[in-house]
Amino acid sequence: MKKLVMIVLALMLTLGVFACSTPAANNTPASNEPEGKKTVKIAYTSGKKGDNGYNDEAWQGLMEAKEMYDFEYVSAEVDNTDPVATEALIRGYAEDGVYDAIISVGTGIDTPTMAVAKDYPDQKFILIDSYCDAPNIMCIGAISAEQAFLSGVLSGIITAGGYTDVVKMSNDTPLISYCIGMDNPDQRAGASGYMAGVKYVNPDVEIRYTVIGGFADPVTAKEVTSNNIALGADICTGNCGAGALGILEACKENGAYFISTSPSTTDYDFSLCTSLKLTNVGVRLAVQAAVENKFEAGTHRNGIASGYCEIGLDGIALQYPQEILDCLEAVRQSIKDGKLVTPDDLTQIDSWVAANHLDATQFGVKMGK
Amino acid sequence: MNKKKFFHISREQWKRALNKVMVSAVSFIASIVIVGIVIWISGYSPIETYVSMVKGAFRSQTSIALVFSEATPLLFTGLAFAIAFRVRLVNVGIEGQMMMGALVGAIVGHFVTFLPHIPHVFFTMLIAGLTGMVIALFIGFLKVKLGANEVIISMMLNSIFTYIGSYLANGPLRAKVTGVAQTEIIQETALLSKLVPKSQLTTGYLIGLFIAIVLAFILDQTVLGYKIRIAGNNRIAGETYGIKATKLYYIAFMISGFVAALGGSIMTQGPITRFSDGAVAGYGFQGISVAALGAYNPLGVIFSSFLYGVLRAGSYTVNRTTNIPYEFVDVIQVMVVVFVSAPQIIFSVKKWFKKRKTAKPKHLPDSPAPAPDQNQ
């Protein structure tokens, strides 16, 4: 027994020798700053980086902001499906009390943040993609309908059949397959944005719209999509989380085109384009709000105008002719100018389409053969 | 049972208890050392990491509260695993039972609106606990009547319950305005009171302590506890004396399921305030580690859950203030299980030293780390 204690002590000592050699990289901001000029301090939390998607994109936003603004930051990662850990982490930053804003990225972090915000009414919190109502929480997110609007316009043009030399279509049926994960306001708004985009240039297209019932169900998504392709759909899209992989699979097997909502599920050979929601822009806006003292509690939705929502064409194998790009640019501009407002629910589509129509031929776009 | 010798502990018992404490302590320290080496190999300073962890865990009133709030779910799952293990039952199903407890807690907490504060709190816990009890009873039934292996059954049931919870949180019980799979926030009347303001620590921890003490009392001082111990140590010998192991299986499973589900409900009624998909995931499996470190003794579990609470609370500080990956805390937990479940590692190392001592009495080697790959 005594021996064992000795051994353990010896081990601890050995470890101690190792320990002194490598100091841990510590990114806590220095506390001794010159008087007068106060640097803004930001605490940043997100999900685990290295996902080659959402969290990496958000981190990239922080790095971009670092180039643009003068501030110091500390960062931490947390699994945001674990509300206890998320709250503990955010609470720790709030308790430190030295940060001008705590920026947290992810869905489902509203409840933990609310719990902390109640206890620290003077601390400012900025959430990306989570929404709640508190006097010291600012929520930044995307206008769901605008995420896929430009993709919709492009799909509408392609489905008209004038560009079979660029995008190979297997048939003339004006049909598009669309799968959503859940029937909730946000998802419906996203779907209606896409549908409005399609019908804005091509009102004759039928969009088969299916609720998959979950965000982790590629099998159902694939079945639904394959069925729609058999019915004549040449473009398949959706917003259903991991279900996107199922849609992509169905497209690959049957030679249809896919539109993803994230670069991580974009297949450059099979994708028509990507409906981007640029989280890095959200983080940049959050940092800007903190640095330039533009903090404003409440929900702030951003869309195409601020560059939060975009159509992603980089890396796509298809080469679109200039007139299509001109047409997309014109649509983008009219949204930026506020001339065009996207509908946010499926029920509004018919009246919206009746009131808004773009004749794409004015840009030289071929609508029909 | 001799009433006069109430709480009397014999010399032999002391020796055995000390041996258990030694195994746990050495396992814990060895895990810390091994993980320290891993941290060092990864290019960080282990001492600085551990110091900042401990400092972070005890820097203020709220951080100490965090230690206990982190220990709360582990206390429950640790107790649940330990009590079943005393009759040599491996209830891996505490993960699923806890999740169902959390779910039922969220349902009762939200939809029951007519009860005042205290009754509502206890009613919610009771219903949640009973749910876990029924689930565990079902596993017990399959084991006793059909001869099923409880590890496999409870493991499989975990998946079933996880998906039931996921379905309900995604579908029928989903909150109105939310982007993620979660139920509505429960009524204020069902929420546990906070023990320390500005923290996640609720009175749920005290309930856990109370249950631990009750279980310790039952195990050590009652006939039932005596039977449980006999059935666990030597089932056949016990049956010769008329101690029916099957009945004890049911009892142990029921207590285990109740405690696990109660823990889930306490998380819902405490820091989480609603049921969300994956919110209490992992506590069940960590409970195995907690119970193992606590030598499957309820009082030991109080201590081991506290220790893990320190580790976890400290890991948040490490996460917040340094670049060191905080997942190493999980590695410590896993290493502990390896050492505790294979105590021969420790004994053989001890023996090896005794042998070396007789061979070379004056020499003390300086790096006799027990090899981590020796997990038999």
PDB file of all heavy atoms in Angstrom, chain A residues 333-345:
ATOM      1  N   GLN A 333     -31.021  42.481 -57.678  1.00  0.00           N
ATOM      2  CA  GLN A 333     -31.046  43.928 -57.516  1.00  0.00           C
ATOM      3  C   GLN A 333     -32.436  44.413 -57.111  1.00  0.00           C
ATOM      4  O   GLN A 333     -32.571  45.274 -56.243  1.00  0.00           O
ATOM      5  CB  GLN A 333     -30.601  44.593 -58.829  1.00  0.00           C
ATOM      6  CG  GLN A 333     -30.206  46.052 -58.682  1.00  0.00           C
ATOM      7  CD  GLN A 333     -29.135  46.265 -57.611  1.00  0.00           C
ATOM      8  OE1 GLN A 333     -28.129  45.551 -57.568  1.00  0.00           O
ATOM      9  NE2 GLN A 333     -29.363  47.200 -56.690  1.00  0.00           N
ATOM     10  N   SER A 334     -33.477  43.809 -57.716  1.00  0.00           N
ATOM     11  CA  SER A 334     -34.815  44.304 -57.376  1.00  0.00           C
ATOM     12  C   SER A 334     -35.186  43.926 -55.941  1.00  0.00           C
ATOM     13  O   SER A 334     -35.952  44.644 -55.290  1.00  0.00           O
ATOM     14  CB  SER A 334     -35.864  43.819 -58.379  1.00  0.00           C
ATOM     15  OG  SER A 334     -35.860  42.428 -58.444  1.00  0.00           O
ATOM     16  N   ILE A 335     -34.615  42.815 -55.421  1.00  0.00           N
ATOM     17  CA  ILE A 335     -34.856  42.497 -54.008  1.00  0.00           C
ATOM     18  C   ILE A 335     -34.088  43.486 -53.135  1.00  0.00           C
ATOM     19  O   ILE A 335     -34.604  44.004 -52.145  1.00  0.00           O
ATOM     20  CB  ILE A 335     -34.450  41.047 -53.693  1.00  0.00           C
ATOM     21  CG1 ILE A 335     -35.426  40.084 -54.368  1.00  0.00           C
ATOM     22  CG2 ILE A 335     -34.447  40.800 -52.181  1.00  0.00           C
ATOM     23  CD1 ILE A 335     -35.083  38.630 -54.199  1.00  0.00           C
ATOM     24  N   LYS A 336     -32.853  43.781 -53.539  1.00  0.00           N
ATOM     25  CA  LYS A 336     -32.041  44.744 -52.777  1.00  0.00           C
ATOM     26  C   LYS A 336     -32.722  46.104 -52.729  1.00  0.00           C
ATOM     27  O   LYS A 336     -32.711  46.788 -51.709  1.00  0.00           O
ATOM     28  CB  LYS A 336     -30.659  44.900 -53.430  1.00  0.00           C
ATOM     29  CG  LYS A 336     -29.675  43.833 -52.986  1.00  0.00           C
ATOM     30  CD  LYS A 336     -28.284  44.135 -53.516  1.00  0.00           C
ATOM     31  CE  LYS A 336     -27.357  42.972 -53.224  1.00  0.00           C
ATOM     32  NZ  LYS A 336     -26.053  43.109 -53.880  1.00  0.00           N
ATOM     33  N   ASP A 337     -33.335  46.482 -53.849  1.00  0.00           N
ATOM     34  CA  ASP A 337     -34.002  47.787 -53.906  1.00  0.00           C
ATOM     35  C   ASP A 337     -35.342  47.781 -53.180  1.00  0.00           C
ATOM     36  O   ASP A 337     -35.997  48.817 -53.076  1.00  0.00           O
ATOM     37  CB  ASP A 337     -34.233  48.190 -55.380  1.00  0.00           C
ATOM     38  CG  ASP A 337     -32.910  48.366 -56.116  1.00  0.00           C
ATOM     39  OD1 ASP A 337     -31.882  48.488 -55.426  1.00  0.00           O
ATOM     40  OD2 ASP A 337     -32.919  48.373 -57.361  1.00  0.00           O
ATOM     41  N   GLY A 338     -35.757  46.610 -52.758  1.00  0.00           N
ATOM     42  CA  GLY A 338     -37.030  46.534 -52.041  1.00  0.00           C
ATOM     43  C   GLY A 338     -38.231  46.492 -52.963  1.00  0.00           C
ATOM     44  O   GLY A 338     -39.373  46.613 -52.526  1.00  0.00           O
ATOM     45  N   LYS A 339     -38.001  46.345 -54.290  1.00  0.00           N
ATOM     46  CA  LYS A 339     -39.133  46.307 -55.238  1.00  0.00           C
ATOM     47  C   LYS A 339     -39.840  44.958 -55.190  1.00  0.00           C
ATOM     48  O   LYS A 339     -40.994  44.843 -55.546  1.00  0.00           O
ATOM     49  CB  LYS A 339     -38.624  46.554 -56.661  1.00  0.00           C
ATOM     50  CG  LYS A 339     -38.234  47.991 -56.921  1.00  0.00           C
ATOM     51  CD  LYS A 339     -37.754  48.117 -58.372  1.00  0.00           C
ATOM     52  CE  LYS A 339     -36.826  49.312 -58.523  1.00  0.00           C
ATOM     53  NZ  LYS A 339     -35.857  49.112 -59.614  1.00  0.00           N
ATOM     54  N   LEU A 340     -39.090  43.941 -54.787  1.00  0.00           N
ATOM     55  CA  LEU A 340     -39.644  42.593 -54.796  1.00  0.00           C
ATOM     56  C   LEU A 340     -39.598  42.036 -53.373  1.00  0.00           C
ATOM     57  O   LEU A 340     -38.533  42.015 -52.745  1.00  0.00           O
ATOM     58  CB  LEU A 340     -38.806  41.712 -55.737  1.00  0.00           C
ATOM     59  CG  LEU A 340     -39.367  40.345 -56.068  1.00  0.00           C
ATOM     60  CD1 LEU A 340     -40.659  40.484 -56.851  1.00  0.00           C
ATOM     61  CD2 LEU A 340     -38.357  39.566 -56.877  1.00  0.00           C
ATOM     62  N   VAL A 341     -40.748  41.651 -52.854  1.00  0.00           N
ATOM     63  CA  VAL A 341     -40.789  41.085 -51.508  1.00  0.00           C
ATOM     64  C   VAL A 341     -41.281  39.637 -51.617  1.00  0.00           C
ATOM     65  O   VAL A 341     -42.338  39.378 -52.193  1.00  0.00           O
ATOM     66  CB  VAL A 341     -41.723  41.901 -50.590  1.00  0.00           C
ATOM     67  CG1 VAL A 341     -41.736  41.311 -49.186  1.00  0.00           C
ATOM     68  CG2 VAL A 341     -41.269  43.349 -50.538  1.00  0.00           C
ATOM     69  N   THR A 342     -40.504  38.697 -51.077  1.00  0.00           N
ATOM     70  CA  THR A 342     -40.859  37.290 -51.216  1.00  0.00           C
ATOM     71  C   THR A 342     -41.998  36.918 -50.263  1.00  0.00           C
ATOM     72  O   THR A 342     -42.103  37.489 -49.183  1.00  0.00           O
ATOM     73  CB  THR A 342     -39.644  36.408 -50.903  1.00  0.00           C
ATOM     74  OG1 THR A 342     -39.103  36.830 -49.655  1.00  0.00           O
ATOM     75  CG2 THR A 342     -38.596  36.520 -51.976  1.00  0.00           C
ATOM     76  N   PRO A 343     -42.840  35.958 -50.648  1.00  0.00           N
ATOM     77  CA  PRO A 343     -43.928  35.528 -49.763  1.00  0.00           C
ATOM     78  C   PRO A 343     -43.381  34.633 -48.654  1.00  0.00           C
ATOM     79  O   PRO A 343     -42.380  33.949 -48.866  1.00  0.00           O
ATOM     80  CB  PRO A 343     -44.833  34.722 -50.690  1.00  0.00           C
ATOM     81  CG  PRO A 343     -43.919  34.184 -51.730  1.00  0.00           C
ATOM     82  CD  PRO A 343     -42.836  35.208 -51.917  1.00  0.00           C
ATOM     83  N   ASP A 344     -43.982  34.635 -47.453  1.00  0.00           N
ATOM     84  CA  ASP A 344     -43.453  33.748 -46.413  1.00  0.00           C
ATOM     85  C   ASP A 344     -44.361  32.601 -46.045  1.00  0.00           C
ATOM     86  O   ASP A 344     -44.125  31.938 -45.070  1.00  0.00           O
ATOM     87  CB  ASP A 344     -43.019  34.485 -45.132  1.00  0.00           C
ATOM     88  CG  ASP A 344     -43.479  35.880 -45.070  1.00  0.00           C
ATOM     89  OD1 ASP A 344     -42.830  36.652 -45.731  1.00  0.00           O
ATOM     90  OD2 ASP A 344     -44.472  36.203 -44.391  1.00  0.00           O
ATOM     91  N   ASP A 345     -45.396  32.369 -46.814  1.00  0.00           N
ATOM     92  CA  ASP A 345     -46.123  31.131 -46.549  1.00  0.00           C
ATOM     93  C   ASP A 345     -46.700  30.577 -47.840  1.00  0.00           C
ATOM     94  O   ASP A 345     -46.983  31.320 -48.783  1.00  0.00           O
ATOM     95  CB  ASP A 345     -47.219  31.328 -45.511  1.00  0.00           C
ATOM     96  CG  ASP A 345     -47.567  30.002 -44.862  1.00  0.00           C
ATOM     97  OD1 ASP A 345     -46.783  29.539 -44.029  1.00  0.00           O
ATOM     98  OD2 ASP A 345     -48.610  29.412 -45.228  1.00  0.00           O
TER      99      ASP A 345
END
